[in-house]
Amino acid sequence: MPRPARFRPALSRRARLGATTVAALVAGTAVFGVGQATAEHSVPRTDKEIPNLTQVQDKIKAYYGDTVTADGEHYASPHSNYARQVRGIEAKARTYLSKALARHDRAGKNSGQAKPAIVLDMDDTTLLTYNYELQVGFHYTEESQDKYLAHTDMDPVFGMNRLVNWAHAKGAEVFFLTGRKEAQRAWSVRNLKNVGYGVPLDRRHVYLKNKENPPAYLPCGATCTTVEYKSGTRKHIESLGYDVVANFGDQYSDLSGGAGDRTFKLPNPMYYLP
């Protein structure tokens, strides 16, 4: 869902499904290759260069192991290739964090060293938007997102709640950093709590985008790009005495701009946010 309001309605702002998507899904890899969607940067010369949209959506459903309930709701399967890929990323993150947090612990609390922290995006990093996307036919609008979030809890991205709780128990401070708008705070916090994120979820730990009253630590104010907003907020977190040892996101714009020792990219073939 949105980042700078997480889902973006226009193709130029939220690039939709293209040839790169199909190739990546067939290969079972993360979408958009090196980190940039190509669909919005090139003009097809013929229709043969454009994948069939229905077939692309079918591949996405297969990748997520689309499961339909009796009342017509769509959910991703924990046995899907998506879930399998996520578990592999989480295993690497746990191995890394075990060492990084142990180093901080050995340094001691009285050494003046910054406290270790992890920063996580929300949509499709900690909360899975798949059910919402299927409900709206991969067509985001602010109105449909508000209506959904007000009354529905998204499932956690498979295993991420356990990874986050484990890291917190090992000494990492946990921060959520999302492009969801400030008006969605109560719904977002409720959702995180209800699906098992047992970490502090107050305003000091959950950052949402506030265009009406942007924080002073963001020089770009209400005009921040995703990269400026995310990296600027991580730098602010570090200024509070934390070392961001790991930064998690499903978009490359979640991970760019520095202020983080290591990044972990979660798969997301449904949309692209520059």
Side-chain angles (χ1 to χ4, degrees):
M1 293 197 28
R3 284 287 174 83
R6 168 135 195 202
F7 289 99
R8 306 231 183 154
L11 176 62
S12 61
R13 300 178 70 190
R14 185 185 181 209
R16 285 298 174 179
L17 314 169
T20 310
T21 307
V22 177
L25 287 173
V26 171
T29 60
V31 174
F32 301 127
V34 177
Q36 293 296 323
T38 59
E40 66 174 322
H41 300 304
S42 62
V43 178
R45 292 168 295 180
T46 73
D47 65 306
K48 294 180 177 62
E49 297 180 12
I50 306 172
N52 182 280
L53 183 58
T54 300
Q55 292 178 338
V56 172
Q57 291 182 352
D58 287 345
K59 287 184 179 290
I60 287 177
K61 291 177 183 179
Y63 171 63
Y64 280 92
D66 187 56
T67 302
V68 186
T69 64
D71 56 0
E73 294 291 315
H74 290 259
Y75 292 95
S77 168
H79 307 295
S80 63
N81 286 339
Y82 166 75
R84 186 176 298 110
Q85 187 176 357
V86 167
R87 285 195 294 270
I89 295 167
E90 291 168 350
K92 292 179 181 178
R94 186 181 286 255
T95 298
Y96 162 75
L97 286 171
S98 292
K99 297 176 182 178
L101 296 177
R103 285 195 298 270
H104 270 272
D105 189 57
R106 286 195 299 271
K109 297 180 180 179
N110 299 320
S111 65
Q113 180 174 300
K115 182 176 181 179
I118 60 174
V119 174
L120 307 104
D121 172 55
M122 201 169 291
D123 293 305
D124 294 298
T125 300
T126 50
L127 299 174
L128 185 58
T129 72
Y130 182 75
N131 177 258
Y132 165 81
E133 284 284 1
L134 268 291
Q135 276 197 18
V136 300
F138 299 101
H139 179 66
Y140 161 81
T141 65
E142 287 193 5
E143 293 76 14
S144 68
Q145 187 196 36
D146 281 348
K147 182 179 179 180
Y148 188 94
L149 295 179
H151 303 290
T152 309
D153 284 335
M154 294 177 175
D155 288 338
V157 169
F158 297 112
M160 284 300 292
N161 50 354
R162 292 189 295 274
L163 177 65
V164 167
N165 293 342
W166 169 84
H168 185 252
K170 291 290 184 180
E173 200 75 11
V174 177
F175 296 93
F176 295 91
L177 173 55
T178 175
R180 288 186 181 186
K181 58 190 178 185
E182 178 63 33
Q184 296 171 331
R185 176 178 294 277
W187 305 333
S188 302
V189 168
R190 178 209 70 213
N191 194 163
L192 289 168
K193 182 178 180 180
N194 285 349
V195 298
Y197 287 95
V199 296
L201 296 171
D202 54 47
R203 289 180 176 272
R204 294 184 299 110
H205 293 87
V206 180
Y207 290 84
L208 292 91
K209 199 166 191 180
N210 191 336
K211 287 188 175 182
E212 289 72 26
N213 297 289
Y217 57 77
L218 292 177
C220 47
T223 65
C224 288
T225 64
T226 301
V227 173
E228 290 171 334
Y229 163 62
K230 294 285 183 102
S231 63
T233 304
R234 290 195 302 273
K235 291 173 184 175
H236 168 69
I237 291 171
E238 289 192 329
S239 75
L240 299 177
Y242 296 97
D243 171 22
V244 178
V245 295
N247 179 28
F248 295 79
D250 64 288
Q251 304 287 320
Y252 289 97
S253 52
D254 294 331
L255 308 174
S256 302
D261 298 345
R262 181 163 173 177
T263 61
F264 291 91
K265 169 73 168 63
L266 278 295
N268 182 2
M270 294 185 290
Y271 54 88
Y272 165 74
L273 294 174

